[in-house]
Amino acid sequence: MENPKQHIEDLRNLLHQHNYSYYVLSSPTITDFEFDKLLKELEALEKEYPEYADPNSPTQRVGSDINKQFVQVAHKYPMLSLSNTYSLEEVEEFYNRVKKDLNDDFEIVCELKFDGTSISLTYKDGKLQQAVTRGDGVVGDDVTANVRTIGSIPLTLQGHDYMDEFEIRGEILMPWKVFDKLNQERADQEEPLFANPRNAASGTLKLQDPKVVASRKLDSFLYYMLGENLPSDSHYENLKKAKQWGFKISDATRKAKSLEEIAEFIKYWDVERKNFPVATDGIVLKVDSLRQQRNLGYTSKFPRWAIAYKFQAERELTELLSVSFQVGRTGAVTPVANLKPVQLSGTTVKRASLYNADAIDALDLHIGDMVYVEKGGEIIPKITEVDIKSRKPNNEKVEFITICPECGATLKRDEGEAVYYCPNYKGCPPQIKGRIEHFITRKAMNISGGSETIEHLYNGKLISNIADLYTLKWQDVSHLERWGEKSAKNLIESIQSSVNIPYERVLYAIGIRYVGETVAKKLAVGFPSIEQLKQATIEELTQVDEIGDRIARSVVDFFADEENLELIEKLRGFGLQFELSQEIMSQRTNKLEGKTIVISGTFEKHSRDEYKTLIEQNGGKNSGSISSKTNYILAGDNMGPAKLEKANKLGVQIIKEDDFLKMIE
Ligand code: IVH
């Protein structure tokens, strides 16, 4: 290559541009596949030419391996918070005070108040230099490595008119969709759920492994530029500039010239925020002119030039009538508060989630207490506070149960876990029904119906496990109460077509503890038939990417159980898929069995990832580094001299892509 440095730079610029189109503008101009190809090409080049390494390269977004405690950094400008209000009257007071103090015309910038975790970014010469959390406002944590993985944060800026050095502050957020998916996965793996996207975002930002951070798909909105020689005296204009440089700035931001316009903005977003992709908890009002901001100055805690109006958390006071305990599919016992019905933002609330024993203790709940219920971001309302003053002396403290309310088994709680569970997984009805319900869900076997369907079939004694579904006859089902011929036939049809659901989804559907959708896919690729999976040892299982001890143990336990093996045999008899599809299988060979291959350089005919897959599909093993165990090096262009030397020293055979393709032909 003639000028690798230039080539690397061009690729980086191109990828920055595509990142921006994708994450900030939400309108990608190339496919993910094309993007990955370019990224791989850059990765390979950076490996070959380590002298041109750059922490702001787009390749760094995937997260580097460094694992360290965070370094504490003092903020150049303290990170203040805003004075809060919940009332429009106080907004009016703020406005009138500003008017009086300035005694001049002024404009107010109205912004959304994003409910995430705040961050301060420093840029030097157009490159992201450092990202620091708020901390105590004076000193925060250096989370740069994690922030680099966030797609909407520019690593290098666009244009040329930015200052040599400046800070920009904003919020790191987890979009609702990502939050819901993450919690679903955590539920599948029986990990504690995040209470809201804010906790999820700040928890993620504090993770020690940037690779995991990258996988969590965080987002950002920036709202405050600081530094000397800012582009304009107008905050609004500065944000516009920031947008041109590639930052994600909210389109909701408006300038207001009167209290009426402010009130309109508040009224609009109080409703519209429910359709916004990230959580917001209010709006922020800022005096636009920086000169006027300086004139107004600060109190000991807050700027006098800004205020946050918080949306009313919808909350009501009602009586706690009783607490019931529900047993889920996995045996986990969830306490639920039964409340005196109360109206809360348009719906009648009768029940509220209590999460677990610790949450009950934290609230110090007593039956008969008057409690505040709130609808946060979550759909299920929760109890946020007890009105202790109104507690009657004989109100009894809520105690967590010790015996399963469904089957009488003694509940267990593992050390360090918050959740009690019923260990009787074979005989406890909600666990049995729950497993069947899980089996039929859309992402599993996609059989029509839901919990009610299973309840009917189970109570009607037509099914007691997942295999029984395949013995159902529409005539039997249609005799059940509230079932007709048509709905019974529909059900049977969808059961019949489920036999074509691919192996990886069957693996997910059979409900092995801790095996969620993603894990099931990994297992299916690592062990392409259930026979292989059955025989896998803990050691073999943990060799698969992302499979840890806990999951491996659970898989082994599952297949050690005779009843589970019988169930699988029955399902196999009904025609369910217990092997990777023919299409994928037919591409598998043993041509590379026992061979360890290292890939190096860039290729013409396939991408590096495709070569990785080809190695695995042909029974070989792909490895990242050359050792005495390496059989071949699949070398493309630009294989590094160090690698070449090592290969020669160890006598490892170097093959070109054509040789390789011939080997597996
Ligand atoms: S301005 C000196 N603008 O709310 C003013 N803050 O209580 C600096 N926040 O710590 C903050 N959206 O984490 C500002 N549009 C917005 C905001 C916003 C959310 C957060 C931020 C801040 C807290 C203030």
Side-chain angles (χ1 to χ4, degrees):
M1 182 173 301
E2 255 179 35
N3 187 347
K5 185 168 181 230
Q6 187 59 48
H7 192 60
I8 287 176
E9 215 137 88
D10 291 348
L11 268 174
R12 282 180 186 158
N13 287 336
L14 188 65
L15 284 162
H16 279 312
Q17 194 56 48
H18 286 310
N19 255 322
Y20 175 74
S21 309
Y22 186 92
Y23 289 106
V24 181
L25 304 179
S26 301
S27 57
T29 50
I30 57 169
T31 63
D32 289 0
F33 179 75
E34 286 165 323
F35 182 90
D36 284 341
K37 222 166 122 182
L38 291 171
L39 192 70
K40 293 277 160 344
E41 189 183 342
L42 177 59
E43 249 170 26
L45 282 172
E46 288 179 345
K47 245 191 192 158
E48 301 299 328
Y49 299 97
E51 61 271 37
Y52 305 131
D54 178 356
N56 286 323
S57 165
T59 55
Q60 300 308 301
R61 295 229 192 250
V62 288
S64 75
D65 291 317
I66 28 171
N67 190 328
K68 56 169 195 243
Q69 288 296 317
F70 299 109
V71 174
Q72 302 244 297
V73 179
H75 291 293
K76 188 168 171 193
Y77 312 92
M79 273 182 97
L80 299 181
S81 61
L82 299 169
S83 87
N84 280 333
T85 171
Y86 288 91
S87 81
L88 287 172
E89 286 77 52
E90 280 180 30
V91 170
E92 191 172 341
E93 278 168 29
F94 163 79
Y95 191 85
N96 290 333
R97 200 177 53 241
V98 168
K99 191 168 168 180
K100 184 166 153 269
D101 288 354
L102 289 176
N103 194 19
D104 193 2
D105 286 347
F106 65 96
E107 286 181 309
I108 294 287
V109 180
C110 309
E111 298 172 13
L112 289 175
K113 187 171 187 309
F114 302 103
D115 197 8
T117 181
S118 46
I119 194 80
S120 188
L121 309 172
T122 305
Y123 284 78
K124 267 194 190 143
D125 301 321
K127 293 191 185 307
L128 175 66
Q129 176 87 12
Q130 198 169 46
V132 183
T133 63
R134 184 186 144 88
D136 62 2
V138 180
V139 176
D141 285 328
D142 181 336
V143 290
T144 316
N146 285 344
V147 167
R148 274 192 218 290
T149 69
I150 302 172
S152 62
I153 293 199
L155 300 179
T156 63
L157 301 183
Q158 299 171 19
H160 297 285
D161 54 347
Y162 41 77
M163 297 76 76
D164 294 345
E165 183 171 346
F166 69 97
E167 270 185 64
I168 187 159
R169 291 182 179 169
E171 210 79 355
I172 304 291
L173 300 143
M174 183 175 282
W176 283 113
K177 269 196 184 145
V178 180
F179 170 75
D180 291 339
K181 185 157 177 271
L182 177 65
N183 261 355
Q184 184 55 54
E185 278 168 18
R186 289 174 79 89
D188 283 348
Q189 308 209 4
E190 293 177 43
E191 286 170 13
L193 304 189
F194 285 114
N196 50 48
R198 176 177 7 98
N199 290 0
S202 66
T204 301
L205 210 55
K206 292 289 175 67
L207 289 173
Q208 286 296 328
D209 184 352
K211 283 215 163 99
V212 184
V213 179
S215 75
R216 294 265 180 96
K217 306 265 175 283
L218 294 175
D219 204 346
S220 67
F221 274 111
L222 284 307
Y223 46 64
Y224 188 31
M225 198 192 285
L226 299 99
E228 283 123 49
N229 312 318
L230 295 183
S232 160
D233 177 61
S234 154
H235 164 68
Y236 187 79
E237 292 302 319
N238 285 337
L239 290 186
K240 259 175 89 180
K241 257 285 168 250
K243 189 168 182 166
Q244 286 171 18
W245 295 338
F247 291 104
K248 187 153 172 176
I249 307 290
S250 170
D251 288 330
T253 304
R254 291 279 179 281
K255 267 204 290 192
K257 287 198 172 74
S258 66
L259 251 178
E260 287 70 40
E261 283 176 24
I262 294 172
E264 241 169 65
F265 186 86
I266 293 179
K267 199 170 145 207
Y268 178 80
W269 282 105
D270 201 358
V271 178
E272 205 47 41
R273 70 185 178 116
K274 296 183 179 106
N275 305 318
F276 208 66
V278 300
T280 56
D281 62 340
I283 61 137
V284 178
L285 303 172
K286 299 173 183 169
V287 171
D288 185 42
S289 154
L290 303 190
R291 181 181 51 80
Q292 291 180 331
Q293 286 186 6
R294 278 192 297 276
N295 282 343
L296 289 163
Y298 295 82
T299 69
S300 61
K301 284 207 292 217
F302 308 122
R304 283 206 182 83
W305 45 265
I307 192 169
Y309 169 87
K310 299 256 263 186
F311 297 128
Q312 204 67 48
E314 291 155 307
R315 96 177 194 158
E316 285 298 335
L317 197 61
T318 189
E319 188 184 343
L320 175 67
L321 300 177
S322 64
V323 172
S324 31
F325 294 86
Q326 290 178 345
V327 184
R329 154 171 88 91
T330 60
V333 180
T334 319
V336 178
N338 299 307
L339 306 163
K340 191 166 167 203
V342 62
Q343 280 297 117
L344 187 60
S345 59
T347 52
T348 310
V349 174
K350 293 182 218 148
R351 292 145 74 76
S353 167
L354 286 170
Y355 303 105
N356 55 42
D358 294 344
I360 294 179
D361 286 344
L363 286 166
D364 183 30
L365 269 190
H366 288 57
I367 301 295
D369 278 354
M370 292 305 286
V371 295
Y372 284 100
V373 279
E374 237 177 59
K375 268 193 193 166
E378 307 82 49
I379 301 145
I380 307 163
K382 61 182 175 199
I383 295 179
T384 52
E385 205 186 319
V386 177
D387 185 35
I388 301 281
K389 290 190 302 299
S390 62
R391 174 175 294 162
K392 297 189 195 80
N394 51 355
N395 282 6
E396 241 174 78
K397 190 170 162 53
V398 177
E399 298 286 356
F400 210 89
I401 49 170
T402 54
I403 280 175
C404 176
E406 301 282 345
C407 72
T410 301
L411 299 183
K412 280 192 171 169
R413 182 182 194 174
D414 290 337
E415 208 167 310
E417 299 284 336
V419 176
Y420 279 97
Y421 68 93
C422 166
N424 178 21
Y425 86 105
K426 281 183 192 162
C428 183
Q431 297 190 57
I432 299 170
K433 283 184 278 184
R435 281 197 294 274
I436 310 176
E437 271 168 37
H438 166 75
F439 184 79
I440 69 168
T441 49
R442 197 172 48 79
K443 286 179 175 169
M445 302 305 280
N446 195 20
I447 292 171
S448 66
S451 56
E452 220 174 301
T453 311
I454 301 304
E455 188 79 32
H456 288 167
L457 299 174
Y458 181 85
N459 291 346
K461 300 211 165 21
L462 294 180
I463 55 169
S464 63
N465 61 43
I466 51 181
D468 291 344
L469 287 168
Y470 296 88
T471 62
L472 285 176
K473 295 189 183 56
W474 70 264
Q475 292 88 340
D476 297 336
V477 179
S478 66
H479 285 135
L480 291 175
E481 213 179 310
R482 278 189 282 166
W483 280 78
E485 194 172 300
K486 188 147 178 263
S487 51
K489 278 186 171 161
N490 280 346
L491 173 71
I492 303 300
E493 253 170 45
S494 83
I495 293 176
Q496 276 161 0
S497 43
S498 78
V499 301
N500 297 319
I501 295 282
Y503 171 52
E504 65 272 16
R505 273 172 62 187
V506 178
L507 269 188
Y508 167 63
I510 56 177
I512 306 173
R513 208 166 183 194
Y514 307 131
V515 175
E517 248 185 303
T518 324
V519 171
K521 273 187 200 144
K522 303 247 167 194
L523 286 176
V525 174
F527 304 90
S529 75
I530 199 105
E531 287 311 313
Q532 283 162 290
L533 188 60
K534 250 191 226 170
Q535 281 153 25
T537 61
I538 303 245
E539 291 71 39
E540 286 164 346
L541 284 160
T542 47
Q543 266 167 32
V544 176
D545 184 29
E546 280 182 43
I547 309 285
D549 234 28
R550 187 173 73 143
I551 299 174
R553 205 160 287 279
S554 163
V555 172
V556 169
D557 286 350
F558 182 88
F559 290 111
D561 187 321
E562 271 307 315
E563 265 180 50
N564 288 336
L565 295 178
E566 260 170 46
L567 203 61
I568 284 171
E569 276 323 303
K570 276 193 191 158
L571 293 172
R572 196 205 293 273
F574 293 123
L576 271 71
Q577 306 300 312
F578 283 108
E579 283 178 1
L580 271 189
S581 71
Q582 274 308 312
E583 196 187 323
I584 298 178
M585 284 293 274
S586 66
Q587 291 162 11
R588 295 185 74 87
T589 76
N590 304 329
K591 289 184 180 156
L592 301 175
E593 200 169 320
K595 304 281 186 238
T596 300
I597 302 177
V598 173
I599 304 178
S600 175
T602 48
F603 300 91
E604 272 172 18
K605 300 201 168 145
H606 294 277
S607 70
R608 287 166 69 96
D609 261 359
E610 283 164 356
Y611 276 119
K612 263 189 205 167
T613 313
L614 283 173
I615 292 173
E616 276 159 15
Q617 269 186 359
N618 289 285
K621 200 172 156 236
N622 171 241
S623 161
S625 59
I626 306 172
S627 72
S628 56
K629 288 191 195 130
T630 312
N631 298 92
Y632 301 109
I633 295 175
L634 173 52
D637 289 338
N638 311 318
M639 179 176 166
K643 268 199 178 148
L644 195 62
E645 201 190 312
K646 192 161 183 194
N648 285 333
K649 212 163 127 195
L650 292 170
V652 181
Q653 192 181 344
I654 297 174
I655 54 173
K656 291 279 172 195
E657 58 180 333
D658 283 334
D659 305 326
F660 175 81
L661 291 171
K662 255 191 216 130
M663 282 168 82
I664 59 166
E665 218 165 42

